[in-house]
Amino acid sequence: MAVTTGAPRIDLNSDVGESFGNWRIGDDGAILQTVSSANIACGFHAGDPLTIQATARIAAEHDVAIGAHIGYRDLAGFGRRHLECSYDELAADVRYQLGALQAMAGAAGARIRYVKPHGALYHSMIAHETHSRAVIDTIADYDPELPVLLLPGSVALQHAAEAGLRGVAEAFADRNYNPDGTLVSRREPDAVLHETAQVVENMLRLAQDREIIARDGTRIPADAESICVHGDTTGAVEMAQAVRAALEDAGVEIRSFVA
């Protein structure tokens, strides 16, 4: 975990800007008052231009770091289905999304500060060589100063280091873990955690002991710089507020990893 002078520090990030037309997802205005980094959808897995623009403006107003939440071109599946696209196709899709969000962020007087893959793309980059390299290579070419939020142990973290990008390991507050450190599939009934007390306890353990407890009780080392609270999870705002309050009460500073 990144540290300041003697005091522990960690980032809170959330997926936002995912509403589309008449379909409303999450309470972005509320959660952006709690987190320090905003993963804003770029229109491929979720988000429409008006939503993305408004979300970037709110993030800028609250001095929340703006991140590009890039995904597979899969609006119908919310980006949670793996797509077997080529290196060139995925690279072009990534560049397109980065450019779209940068335009919206620029209109709000801000800019993209980091990148986080979404859903199936995020999970593909744990071991998929071609898709991992397509994403990392494109980010490095677009802006080599952009950090990338990734799951610890993923091949993408290695690719990021090779490309000269800063790879940032993250943990998930509201997700259950397998013993190998991967996230429990959303097809499983216990994939998402809903008990705020359990989530708070887990994140305090992460911040203080640098470990996460898997669903079978295995202790997983987790040296994460950022904690994700999904904006579309039921009770996300209250959960994020509780996590932040507990961490701050424990003496942990909440600050974006790009601050």
Side-chain angles (χ1 to χ4, degrees):
M1 183 194 306
V3 295
T4 56
T5 53
R9 159 184 163 182
I10 201 160
D11 170 62
L12 288 182
N13 76 77
S14 187
D15 304 344
V16 292
E18 294 182 320
S19 295
F20 187 87
N22 291 330
W23 287 267
R24 313 312 298 169
I25 297 179
D27 186 345
D28 293 345
I31 207 161
L32 285 172
Q33 297 180 49
T34 302
V35 299
S36 45
S37 297
N39 318 316
I40 300 180
C42 299
F44 271 27
H45 79 274
D48 58 57
L50 193 59
T51 295
I52 295 168
Q53 178 176 265
T55 306
R57 176 181 51 78
I58 297 170
E61 288 174 351
H62 290 286
D63 198 26
V64 175
I66 292 176
H69 204 27
I70 58 173
Y72 286 129
R73 201 184 324 164
D74 180 30
L75 272 176
F78 200 66
R80 289 179 175 160
R81 301 180 295 189
H82 177 79
L83 297 184
E84 271 303 331
C85 45
S86 69
Y87 176 103
D88 288 341
E89 183 180 8
L90 182 55
D93 282 356
V94 169
R95 188 180 299 276
Y96 186 98
Q97 292 175 83
L98 294 174
L101 183 59
Q102 180 53 51
M104 296 304 190
R111 63 184 176 88
I112 296 174
R113 303 292 302 281
Y114 67 93
V115 180
K116 178 181 174 179
H118 164 81
L121 179 58
Y122 185 95
H123 290 284
S124 291
M125 291 174 66
I126 294 173
H128 198 299
E129 289 280 342
T130 300
H131 286 191
S132 173
R133 290 195 182 279
V135 173
I136 295 299
D137 290 351
T138 303
I139 296 169
D141 184 63
Y142 182 85
D143 184 349
E145 299 301 316
L146 290 175
V148 189
L149 269 176
L150 297 163
L151 193 71
S154 63
V155 69
L157 276 174
Q158 177 184 338
H159 292 162
E162 293 170 354
L165 295 179
R166 176 186 171 197
V168 178
E170 71 170 333
F172 289 82
D174 50 4
R175 292 294 303 275
N176 235 335
Y177 280 76
N178 295 307
D180 64 356
T182 59
L183 298 177
V184 173
S185 169
R186 285 184 178 270
R187 292 188 294 271
E188 299 292 328
D190 61 343
V192 178
L193 301 176
H194 298 284
E195 294 296 328
T196 298
Q198 180 185 5
V199 169
V200 167
E201 179 183 355
N202 287 347
M203 293 305 97
L204 283 172
R205 182 182 294 108
L206 169 72
Q208 296 170 336
D209 302 328
R210 301 187 184 185
E211 67 178 17
I212 290 175
I213 306 300
R215 64 175 173 175
D216 68 345
T218 299
R219 293 180 178 272
I220 306 169
D223 192 17
E225 292 186 60
S226 185
I227 293 171
C228 176
V229 179
H230 284 99
D232 62 330
T233 300
T234 302
V237 173
E238 293 77 11
M239 188 177 291
Q241 291 171 340
V243 169
R244 178 165 189 146
L247 289 170
E248 289 182 329
D249 286 346
V252 179
E253 179 187 8
I254 306 302
R255 187 196 290 186
S256 176
F257 55 87
V258 296

